[in-house]
């Protein structure tokens, strides 16, 4: 220690180099805070990513059975594809970008198995199958093709087709006719009109050979028979098509009245209804009339005529009183054809006896008789009676002061409106039509306007619900950044200023270690005193410094 060489020099303080060194030089508490902040910020970013990708899911399959749904989910799990079930488990949802690819892959795996199979069943025919199996496979394929065609309709959600195809034998009279039944499941709120049901019946009957349309039954999901016969419809009242026809007639007449009167009384000042009594009964009459022939003989038509004539001659034999008179020929007969029968017979008898000849002639003539066959069919859907009711609001009148009052219509105005209504519907007194037009003030109900506060409006609430999650994540991210990460970054980014020259003193005694710098004096007087002490008594200053070094070394060892 006596040979120690004391030096007075400026202490150089070694600072960490670079951002990493400054981060490593931070206290343990700052390091832990920064690490936790970075982890929390990463979690927030991951949560926002997962939440933003939540809306990219679309429906893969819907309305699957439990068996098919479980098989599809198991296949998706094996393929490591994320999926989600919709509310109630009615649909399986997958990422939107993979919907079509997954459908093709699942179809390759034969999923879902509950899908309708058509004629592709014939492609999987096994070797050695019997004729019964072939016929049954063909029937299943035909039922599947008909099901696909029927379910393509907009109102049909699902369908099942059952075909009864009997075995045909060689005896034509003993062959049974096929029949079919169709069960339809309609979408909620959808119905089928009469034409659509007839189209389904025609589709099925045309697809099966020798299938009569009357042998096709169509039912809905409630069990109601949609293919009721015409007799049943007539017995139970009007069918759907007839009701639609009546509704069209009534709507057409009401529209005529509104189009005619609205320019006169105003758009909202008129209410009109029309009731039509339509006769849908059908009758057919056939009559035959016979009349005698009329007119002259030229207009008489002979249908058939038959003439038969027979004549014969015998040898002349003398008759009468012998003498000259009996040898003379008889005179011509002078009696008319319509005269007495006795002289004619006597003359004919005398002639026959004189000449010895006989003859016979028969003539039969048949004439055509007039015949008229008349078939009368009454038209269906004729209007038997019309009833029209029209209510007209009071006329609005505004005085010079701008006050609006309601004024009733006068009787001549109502009569004019009644005449217009009669002409518009084709009023017929013989038919029993009736038209009634009245004037009454319309009661206008003022609906109270409920002012919903802004914070209670559904649109705002939905927007707030949608923005609550991302807003909360952003707030958490800001708190983590500014509360935990930013202080550590500031401490690591700020470079301390270099020490002033002469502010620190180090003395190297027997080793090259750098001694810690003395704290800067608070005032210039203290600094000048320390310098004077070091100049006047350097040994004392060296002892003080040696004591500081020994104390810090002891602390480092402990």
């Amino acid at each position: 220690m006596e040979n120690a060489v004391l030096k007075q020099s400026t202490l150089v303080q070694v600072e960490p180099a670079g951002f990493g060194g400054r981060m490593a030089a931070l206290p343990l508490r700052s390091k832990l805070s920064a690490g936790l902040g970075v982890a929390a910020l990463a979690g927030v970013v991951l949560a926002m990513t997962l939440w933003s990708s939540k809306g990219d899911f679309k429906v893969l399959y819907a309305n699957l059975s439990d068996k098919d749904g479980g098989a599809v989910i198991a296949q998706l799990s094996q393929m490591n594809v994320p999926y989600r079930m919709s509310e109630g488990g009615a649909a399986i949802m997958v990422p939107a970008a993979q919907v079509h690819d997954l459908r093709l892959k699942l179809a390759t795996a034969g999923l879902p198995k509950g899908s309708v199979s058509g004629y592709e069943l014939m492609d999987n025919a096994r070797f050695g199958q019997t004729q019964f199996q072939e016929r049954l496979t063909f029937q299943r394929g035909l039922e599947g093709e008909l099901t696909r065609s029927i379910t393509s309709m907009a109102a049909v959600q699902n369908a099942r087709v059952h075909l009864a195809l009997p075995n045909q034998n060689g005896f034509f009279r003993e062959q049974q006719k096929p029949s079919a039944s169709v069960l339809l499941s309609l979408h909620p709120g959808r119905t089928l009109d009469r034409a659509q049901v007839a189209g389904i019946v025609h589709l099925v009957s045309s697809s099966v050979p020798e299938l009569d349309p009357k042998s096709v039954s169509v039912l809905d999901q409630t069990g109601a028979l949609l293919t009721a016969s015409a007799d049943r419809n007539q017995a139970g009242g009007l069918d759907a098509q007839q009701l639609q026809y009546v509704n069209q007639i009534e709507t057409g007449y009401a529209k005529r009245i509104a189009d005619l009167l609205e320019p006169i009384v105003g758009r909202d000042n008129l209410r009109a209804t029309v009731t039509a009594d339509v006769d849908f009964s059908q009758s057919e009459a056939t009559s035959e009339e016979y009349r005698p022939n009329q007119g002259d003989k030229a207009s008489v038509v002979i249908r058939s005529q038959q003439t038969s004539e027979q004549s014969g001659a015998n040898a002349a034999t003398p008759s009468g009183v012998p003498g000259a008179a009996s040898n003379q020929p008889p005179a011509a007969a002078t009696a008319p054809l319509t005269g007495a029968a006795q002289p004619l017979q006597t003359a004919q008898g005398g002639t026959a006896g004189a000449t010895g000849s006989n003859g016979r002639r028969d003539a039969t003539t048949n004439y055509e008789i007039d015949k008229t066959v008349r078939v009368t069919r009454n038209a269906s859907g004729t209007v038997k009676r019309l009833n029209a009711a029209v209510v007209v609001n009071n006329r609005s009148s505004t005085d010079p002061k701008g006050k609006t009052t309601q004024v009733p219509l006068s009787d001549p105005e109502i009569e004019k409106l009644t005449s217009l209504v009669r002409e518009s519907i084709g009023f017929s007194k013989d038919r029993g039509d009736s038209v009634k037009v009245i004037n009454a003030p319309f009661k206008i109900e003022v609906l109270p306007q409920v002012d919903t506060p802004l914070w209670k409006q559904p649109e705002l609430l939905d927007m707030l619900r949608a923005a609550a999650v991302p807003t909360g994540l952003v707030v958490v991210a800001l708190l983590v950044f500014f509360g935990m990460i930013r202080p550590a970054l500031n401490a690591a980014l700020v470079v301390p200023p270099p020490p002033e020259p002469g502010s620190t003193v180090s003395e190297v005694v027997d080793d090259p270690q750098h001694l810690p710098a003395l704290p800067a004096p608070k005032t210039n007087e203290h600094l000048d005193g320390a310098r004077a002490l070091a100049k006047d008594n350097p040994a004392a200053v060296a002892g003080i410094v040696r004591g500081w070094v020994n104390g810090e070394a002891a602390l480092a060892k402990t």
Side-chain angles (χ1 to χ4, degrees):
M1 291 183 65
E2 290 80 359
N3 300 327
V5 179
L6 298 179
K7 293 184 178 180
Q8 181 180 358
S9 62
T10 303
L11 179 63
V12 180
Q13 212 172 16
V14 179
E15 296 294 339
F19 177 76
R22 289 192 293 271
M23 287 293 298
L26 291 177
L28 181 61
R29 181 177 181 181
S30 300
K31 294 179 181 180
L32 292 177
S33 177
L36 293 176
V38 171
L41 186 61
V44 171
V45 173
L46 179 61
M48 293 184 66
T49 304
L50 295 177
W51 182 86
S52 62
S53 62
K54 182 179 179 181
D56 295 333
F57 279 73
K58 289 189 177 181
V59 177
L60 178 64
Y61 292 112
N63 299 324
L64 292 178
S65 61
D66 295 338
K67 184 177 180 180
D68 290 339
V72 170
I73 290 176
Q75 188 68 22
L76 292 176
S77 300
Q78 293 180 2
M79 299 168 61
N80 295 325
V81 176
Y83 64 89
R84 188 173 70 248
M85 303 295 295
S86 64
E87 297 181 1
I92 301 176
M93 306 181 70
V94 296
Q98 304 180 15
V99 171
H100 302 288
D101 188 19
L102 291 175
R103 285 179 180 175
L104 293 176
K105 292 181 179 179
L106 292 175
T108 305
L111 295 175
K113 296 182 179 179
S115 59
V116 180
S117 299
Y119 284 137
E120 59 268 15
L121 293 174
M122 306 296 294
D123 299 336
N124 300 326
R126 295 174 298 175
F127 179 76
Q129 64 180 359
T130 62
Q131 185 179 3
F132 173 76
Q133 292 176 345
E134 291 180 355
R135 185 171 63 252
L136 184 60
T137 303
F138 173 76
Q139 180 176 343
R140 289 179 56 195
L142 181 58
E143 291 176 352
E145 293 295 334
L146 291 174
T147 301
R148 289 177 178 176
S149 301
I150 295 174
T151 51
S152 62
M153 301 177 63
V156 179
Q157 183 178 9
N158 194 8
R160 295 193 65 184
V161 179
H162 303 278
L163 298 178
L165 304 179
N167 296 329
Q168 303 298 334
N169 50 27
F171 300 96
F172 181 76
R173 295 182 179 179
E174 297 180 1
Q175 291 181 358
Q176 298 179 357
K177 299 296 182 181
S179 60
S181 299
V182 181
L183 177 62
L184 302 177
S185 297
L186 305 179
H187 289 285
R190 300 287 187 89
T191 57
L192 294 177
D193 56 13
R194 187 174 181 181
Q196 291 174 324
V197 175
I200 294 175
V201 173
H202 183 73
L203 173 66
V204 176
S205 61
S206 300
S207 303
V208 181
E210 298 182 3
L211 178 58
D212 190 0
K214 296 182 180 179
S215 300
V216 180
S217 302
V218 181
L219 294 83
D220 59 3
Q221 67 269 24
T222 62
L225 183 63
L226 304 180
T227 55
S229 60
D231 297 337
R232 182 175 178 181
N233 288 336
Q234 292 179 0
L238 301 180
D239 58 6
Q241 187 174 7
Q242 293 173 350
L243 291 174
Q244 184 179 5
Y245 176 72
V246 174
N247 188 19
Q248 289 178 355
I249 292 178
E250 295 177 349
T251 305
Y253 282 123
K255 188 175 183 302
R256 290 182 185 179
I257 297 173
D259 293 342
L260 187 63
L261 299 186
E262 279 183 354
I264 301 175
V265 299
R267 183 178 182 83
D268 296 331
N269 297 325
L270 175 69
R271 298 292 184 273
T273 59
V274 178
T275 304
D277 185 5
V278 183
D279 184 14
F280 290 100
S281 61
Q282 298 180 357
S283 61
E284 181 176 349
T286 304
S287 61
E288 296 184 2
E289 298 178 359
Y290 297 89
R291 296 182 302 172
N293 292 325
Q294 298 178 358
D296 53 359
K297 294 182 179 181
S299 62
V300 176
V301 178
I302 298 176
R303 181 173 60 183
S304 63
Q305 186 175 11
Q306 182 178 3
T307 303
S308 176
E309 185 175 355
Q310 184 179 0
S311 62
N314 296 326
T317 57
S319 62
V321 179
S326 61
N327 294 328
Q328 295 180 356
T334 59
L337 295 177
T338 58
Q342 186 64 29
L344 178 61
Q345 292 176 0
T346 303
Q348 291 178 352
T351 303
T355 61
S357 62
N358 55 15
R360 182 178 179 182
R361 182 178 182 181
D362 297 331
T364 303
T365 303
N366 295 324
Y367 298 95
E368 290 288 353
I369 302 176
D370 291 346
K371 177 183 178 181
T372 303
V373 179
R374 182 177 293 105
V375 179
T376 305
R377 293 186 180 91
N378 292 334
S380 177
T382 58
V383 179
K384 296 174 59 178
R385 185 179 179 183
L386 290 176
N387 298 325
V390 182
V391 180
V392 182
N393 191 16
N394 291 340
R395 184 176 61 253
S396 299
S397 178
T398 305
D399 55 8
K401 296 182 179 180
K403 184 179 180 181
T404 303
T405 57
Q406 300 291 331
V407 179
L409 300 180
S410 60
D411 293 338
E413 292 177 340
I414 294 178
E415 185 63 28
K416 291 180 180 179
L417 296 178
T418 304
S419 301
L420 292 176
V421 173
R422 289 177 179 176
E423 294 297 330
S424 64
I425 66 173
F427 179 83
S428 177
K429 186 177 180 181
D430 299 336
R431 194 170 55 186
D433 297 346
S434 64
V435 174
K436 187 66 175 178
V437 179
I438 63 173
N439 174 225
F442 286 4
K443 184 179 180 181
I444 301 175
E445 296 182 359
V446 179
L447 299 177
Q449 296 182 356
V450 180
D451 296 335
T452 305
L454 182 62
W455 57 275
K456 287 186 178 182
Q457 293 182 0
E459 295 82 3
L460 181 60
L461 294 178
D462 295 340
M463 185 176 63
L464 292 177
R465 292 191 190 99
V469 175
T471 303
L473 294 176
V474 170
V475 171
V476 172
L478 294 176
L479 293 177
V480 169
F481 179 77
F482 287 101
M484 303 176 68
I485 300 176
R486 187 179 179 182
L489 293 177
N490 292 336
L493 292 176
V494 175
V495 179
E500 298 179 359
S503 61
T504 57
V505 178
S506 63
E507 180 179 356
V508 179
V509 180
D510 297 336
D511 55 10
Q513 294 182 356
H514 296 280
L515 298 179
L518 294 174
K522 296 182 180 179
T523 59
N524 295 330
E525 298 179 355
H526 294 171
L527 182 59
D528 295 339
R531 290 177 179 175
L533 178 62
K535 184 183 294 185
D536 297 339
N537 193 1
V541 174
I544 294 172
V545 173
R546 187 181 295 108
W548 290 349
V549 173
N550 293 335
E552 290 184 359
L555 290 177
K557 291 180 180 181
T558 57

